[in-house]
PDB file of all heavy atoms in Angstrom:
ATOM      1  N   ALA B  72     -10.139 -14.721   2.210  1.00  0.00           N
ATOM      2  CA  ALA B  72      -9.410 -13.447   2.185  1.00  0.00           C
ATOM      3  C   ALA B  72      -7.929 -13.649   2.501  1.00  0.00           C
ATOM      4  O   ALA B  72      -7.063 -13.132   1.790  1.00  0.00           O
ATOM      5  CB  ALA B  72     -10.030 -12.468   3.183  1.00  0.00           C
ATOM      6  N   ILE B  73      -7.627 -14.417   3.536  1.00  0.00           N
ATOM      7  CA  ILE B  73      -6.240 -14.641   3.953  1.00  0.00           C
ATOM      8  C   ILE B  73      -5.491 -15.478   2.920  1.00  0.00           C
ATOM      9  O   ILE B  73      -4.318 -15.211   2.619  1.00  0.00           O
ATOM     10  CB  ILE B  73      -6.187 -15.317   5.350  1.00  0.00           C
ATOM     11  CG1 ILE B  73      -6.812 -14.414   6.416  1.00  0.00           C
ATOM     12  CG2 ILE B  73      -4.762 -15.727   5.713  1.00  0.00           C
ATOM     13  CD1 ILE B  73      -6.041 -13.167   6.759  1.00  0.00           C
ATOM     14  N   ASN B  74      -6.158 -16.499   2.364  1.00  0.00           N
ATOM     15  CA  ASN B  74      -5.505 -17.326   1.347  1.00  0.00           C
ATOM     16  C   ASN B  74      -5.202 -16.533   0.077  1.00  0.00           C
ATOM     17  O   ASN B  74      -4.152 -16.694  -0.532  1.00  0.00           O
ATOM     18  CB  ASN B  74      -6.364 -18.548   1.001  1.00  0.00           C
ATOM     19  CG  ASN B  74      -6.380 -19.573   2.115  1.00  0.00           C
ATOM     20  OD1 ASN B  74      -5.461 -19.644   2.927  1.00  0.00           O
ATOM     21  ND2 ASN B  74      -7.436 -20.365   2.164  1.00  0.00           N
ATOM     22  N   ARG B  75      -6.117 -15.673  -0.290  1.00  0.00           N
ATOM     23  CA  ARG B  75      -5.941 -14.880  -1.512  1.00  0.00           C
ATOM     24  C   ARG B  75      -4.945 -13.729  -1.298  1.00  0.00           C
ATOM     25  O   ARG B  75      -4.146 -13.429  -2.163  1.00  0.00           O
ATOM     26  CB  ARG B  75      -7.303 -14.340  -1.951  1.00  0.00           C
ATOM     27  CG  ARG B  75      -7.297 -13.685  -3.310  1.00  0.00           C
ATOM     28  CD  ARG B  75      -8.718 -13.383  -3.772  1.00  0.00           C
ATOM     29  NE  ARG B  75      -9.461 -14.579  -4.118  1.00  0.00           N
ATOM     30  CZ  ARG B  75      -9.382 -15.197  -5.304  1.00  0.00           C
ATOM     31  NH1 ARG B  75      -8.603 -14.728  -6.233  1.00  0.00           N
ATOM     32  NH2 ARG B  75     -10.112 -16.268  -5.538  1.00  0.00           N
ATOM     33  N   TYR B  76      -5.036 -13.071  -0.148  1.00  0.00           N
ATOM     34  CA  TYR B  76      -4.192 -11.910   0.165  1.00  0.00           C
ATOM     35  C   TYR B  76      -3.642 -12.059   1.580  1.00  0.00           C
ATOM     36  O   TYR B  76      -4.243 -11.550   2.532  1.00  0.00           O
ATOM     37  CB  TYR B  76      -4.992 -10.608   0.069  1.00  0.00           C
ATOM     38  CG  TYR B  76      -5.725 -10.439  -1.235  1.00  0.00           C
ATOM     39  CD1 TYR B  76      -7.113 -10.583  -1.298  1.00  0.00           C
ATOM     40  CD2 TYR B  76      -5.033 -10.159  -2.407  1.00  0.00           C
ATOM     41  CE1 TYR B  76      -7.789 -10.441  -2.503  1.00  0.00           C
ATOM     42  CE2 TYR B  76      -5.710 -10.016  -3.610  1.00  0.00           C
ATOM     43  CZ  TYR B  76      -7.086 -10.161  -3.658  1.00  0.00           C
ATOM     44  OH  TYR B  76      -7.750 -10.022  -4.843  1.00  0.00           O
ATOM     45  N   PRO B  77      -2.521 -12.733   1.760  1.00  0.00           N
ATOM     46  CA  PRO B  77      -1.983 -12.958   3.109  1.00  0.00           C
ATOM     47  C   PRO B  77      -1.733 -11.669   3.902  1.00  0.00           C
ATOM     48  O   PRO B  77      -1.731 -11.688   5.128  1.00  0.00           O
ATOM     49  CB  PRO B  77      -0.676 -13.701   2.852  1.00  0.00           C
ATOM     50  CG  PRO B  77      -0.838 -14.311   1.505  1.00  0.00           C
ATOM     51  CD  PRO B  77      -1.725 -13.384   0.733  1.00  0.00           C
ATOM     52  N   GLU B  78      -1.579 -10.546   3.206  1.00  0.00           N
ATOM     53  CA  GLU B  78      -1.299  -9.281   3.884  1.00  0.00           C
ATOM     54  C   GLU B  78      -2.556  -8.528   4.312  1.00  0.00           C
ATOM     55  O   GLU B  78      -2.466  -7.515   4.996  1.00  0.00           O
ATOM     56  CB  GLU B  78      -0.451  -8.384   2.974  1.00  0.00           C
ATOM     57  CG  GLU B  78      -1.171  -7.844   1.754  1.00  0.00           C
ATOM     58  CD  GLU B  78      -1.383  -8.840   0.609  1.00  0.00           C
ATOM     59  OE1 GLU B  78      -0.844  -9.959   0.659  1.00  0.00           O
ATOM     60  OE2 GLU B  78      -2.103  -8.493  -0.343  1.00  0.00           O
ATOM     61  N   ILE B  79      -3.740  -9.017   3.945  1.00  0.00           N
ATOM     62  CA  ILE B  79      -4.977  -8.326   4.316  1.00  0.00           C
ATOM     63  C   ILE B  79      -5.143  -8.337   5.833  1.00  0.00           C
ATOM     64  O   ILE B  79      -4.790  -9.301   6.502  1.00  0.00           O
ATOM     65  CB  ILE B  79      -6.205  -8.960   3.612  1.00  0.00           C
ATOM     66  CG1 ILE B  79      -7.412  -8.006   3.680  1.00  0.00           C
ATOM     67  CG2 ILE B  79      -6.533 -10.316   4.197  1.00  0.00           C
ATOM     68  CD1 ILE B  79      -8.573  -8.429   2.773  1.00  0.00           C
ATOM     69  N   ARG B  80      -5.633  -7.243   6.381  1.00  0.00           N
ATOM     70  CA  ARG B  80      -5.878  -7.123   7.822  1.00  0.00           C
ATOM     71  C   ARG B  80      -7.357  -7.387   8.066  1.00  0.00           C
ATOM     72  O   ARG B  80      -8.196  -6.642   7.564  1.00  0.00           O
ATOM     73  CB  ARG B  80      -5.502  -5.731   8.324  1.00  0.00           C
ATOM     74  CG  ARG B  80      -4.089  -5.267   7.959  1.00  0.00           C
ATOM     75  CD  ARG B  80      -2.987  -5.997   8.678  1.00  0.00           C
ATOM     76  NE  ARG B  80      -2.592  -7.186   7.919  1.00  0.00           N
ATOM     77  CZ  ARG B  80      -1.812  -8.150   8.376  1.00  0.00           C
ATOM     78  NH1 ARG B  80      -1.346  -8.104   9.592  1.00  0.00           N
ATOM     79  NH2 ARG B  80      -1.497  -9.183   7.638  1.00  0.00           N
ATOM     80  N   ALA B  81      -7.676  -8.428   8.808  1.00  0.00           N
ATOM     81  CA  ALA B  81      -9.062  -8.854   9.004  1.00  0.00           C
ATOM     82  C   ALA B  81      -9.502  -8.689  10.451  1.00  0.00           C
ATOM     83  O   ALA B  81      -8.760  -9.020  11.374  1.00  0.00           O
ATOM     84  CB  ALA B  81      -9.217 -10.309   8.575  1.00  0.00           C
ATOM     85  N   VAL B  82     -10.724  -8.199  10.623  1.00  0.00           N
ATOM     86  CA  VAL B  82     -11.356  -8.102  11.934  1.00  0.00           C
ATOM     87  C   VAL B  82     -12.679  -8.861  11.835  1.00  0.00           C
ATOM     88  O   VAL B  82     -13.484  -8.600  10.938  1.00  0.00           O
ATOM     89  CB  VAL B  82     -11.616  -6.638  12.347  1.00  0.00           C
ATOM     90  CG1 VAL B  82     -12.373  -6.579  13.665  1.00  0.00           C
ATOM     91  CG2 VAL B  82     -10.311  -5.864  12.431  1.00  0.00           C
ATOM     92  N   VAL B  83     -12.895  -9.804  12.752  1.00  0.00           N
ATOM     93  CA  VAL B  83     -14.134 -10.566  12.798  1.00  0.00           C
ATOM     94  C   VAL B  83     -15.031  -9.947  13.868  1.00  0.00           C
ATOM     95  O   VAL B  83     -14.568  -9.625  14.963  1.00  0.00           O
ATOM     96  CB  VAL B  83     -13.859 -12.056  13.101  1.00  0.00           C
ATOM     97  CG1 VAL B  83     -15.156 -12.829  13.269  1.00  0.00           C
ATOM     98  CG2 VAL B  83     -13.005 -12.670  11.992  1.00  0.00           C
ATOM     99  N   ILE B  84     -16.309  -9.772  13.512  1.00  0.00           N
ATOM    100  CA  ILE B  84     -17.274  -9.213  14.457  1.00  0.00           C
ATOM    101  C   ILE B  84     -18.430 -10.202  14.622  1.00  0.00           C
ATOM    102  O   ILE B  84     -18.749 -10.943  13.693  1.00  0.00           O
ATOM    103  CB  ILE B  84     -17.810  -7.834  14.002  1.00  0.00           C
ATOM    104  CG1 ILE B  84     -18.513  -7.929  12.648  1.00  0.00           C
ATOM    105  CG2 ILE B  84     -16.680  -6.813  13.962  1.00  0.00           C
ATOM    106  CD1 ILE B  84     -19.182  -6.648  12.189  1.00  0.00           C
ATOM    107  N   THR B  85     -19.021 -10.230  15.808  1.00  0.00           N
ATOM    108  CA  THR B  85     -20.158 -11.112  16.027  1.00  0.00           C
ATOM    109  C   THR B  85     -20.952 -10.687  17.254  1.00  0.00           C
ATOM    110  O   THR B  85     -20.413 -10.037  18.145  1.00  0.00           O
ATOM    111  CB  THR B  85     -19.714 -12.581  16.188  1.00  0.00           C
ATOM    112  OG1 THR B  85     -20.874 -13.417  16.243  1.00  0.00           O
ATOM    113  CG2 THR B  85     -18.884 -12.780  17.433  1.00  0.00           C
ATOM    114  N   GLY B  86     -22.197 -11.078  17.260  1.00  0.00           N
ATOM    115  CA  GLY B  86     -23.038 -10.861  18.426  1.00  0.00           C
ATOM    116  C   GLY B  86     -23.170 -12.119  19.258  1.00  0.00           C
ATOM    117  O   GLY B  86     -23.753 -12.105  20.323  1.00  0.00           O
ATOM    118  N   PHE B  87     -22.620 -13.227  18.745  1.00  0.00           N
ATOM    119  CA  PHE B  87     -22.828 -14.516  19.386  1.00  0.00           C
ATOM    120  C   PHE B  87     -21.543 -15.252  19.707  1.00  0.00           C
ATOM    121  O   PHE B  87     -21.580 -16.418  20.032  1.00  0.00           O
ATOM    122  CB  PHE B  87     -23.681 -15.422  18.479  1.00  0.00           C
ATOM    123  CG  PHE B  87     -24.956 -14.775  18.045  1.00  0.00           C
ATOM    124  CD1 PHE B  87     -25.077 -14.264  16.763  1.00  0.00           C
ATOM    125  CD2 PHE B  87     -26.023 -14.655  18.912  1.00  0.00           C
ATOM    126  CE1 PHE B  87     -26.257 -13.657  16.354  1.00  0.00           C
ATOM    127  CE2 PHE B  87     -27.209 -14.051  18.511  1.00  0.00           C
ATOM    128  CZ  PHE B  87     -27.322 -13.552  17.229  1.00  0.00           C
ATOM    129  N   GLY B  88     -20.410 -14.600  19.570  1.00  0.00           N
ATOM    130  CA  GLY B  88     -19.142 -15.294  19.719  1.00  0.00           C
ATOM    131  C   GLY B  88     -18.674 -15.438  21.140  1.00  0.00           C
ATOM    132  O   GLY B  88     -19.139 -14.770  22.047  1.00  0.00           O
ATOM    133  N   GLY B  89     -17.763 -16.340  21.287  1.00  0.00           N
ATOM    134  CA  GLY B  89     -17.135 -16.560  22.572  1.00  0.00           C
ATOM    135  C   GLY B  89     -15.648 -16.735  22.389  1.00  0.00           C
ATOM    136  O   GLY B  89     -15.091 -16.449  21.317  1.00  0.00           O
ATOM    137  N   VAL B  90     -15.006 -17.221  23.416  1.00  0.00           N
ATOM    138  CA  VAL B  90     -13.556 -17.365  23.402  1.00  0.00           C
ATOM    139  C   VAL B  90     -13.101 -18.319  22.301  1.00  0.00           C
ATOM    140  O   VAL B  90     -12.137 -18.047  21.590  1.00  0.00           O
ATOM    141  CB  VAL B  90     -13.053 -17.838  24.784  1.00  0.00           C
ATOM    142  CG1 VAL B  90     -11.574 -18.161  24.752  1.00  0.00           C
ATOM    143  CG2 VAL B  90     -13.342 -16.776  25.829  1.00  0.00           C
TER     144      VAL B  90
END
Side-chain angles (χ1 to χ4, degrees):
I73 298 291
N74 288 335
R75 189 171 289 277
Y76 308 107
E78 69 284 352
I79 196 168
R80 308 290 89 192
V82 176
V83 175
I84 60 174
T85 187
F87 307 103
V90 173

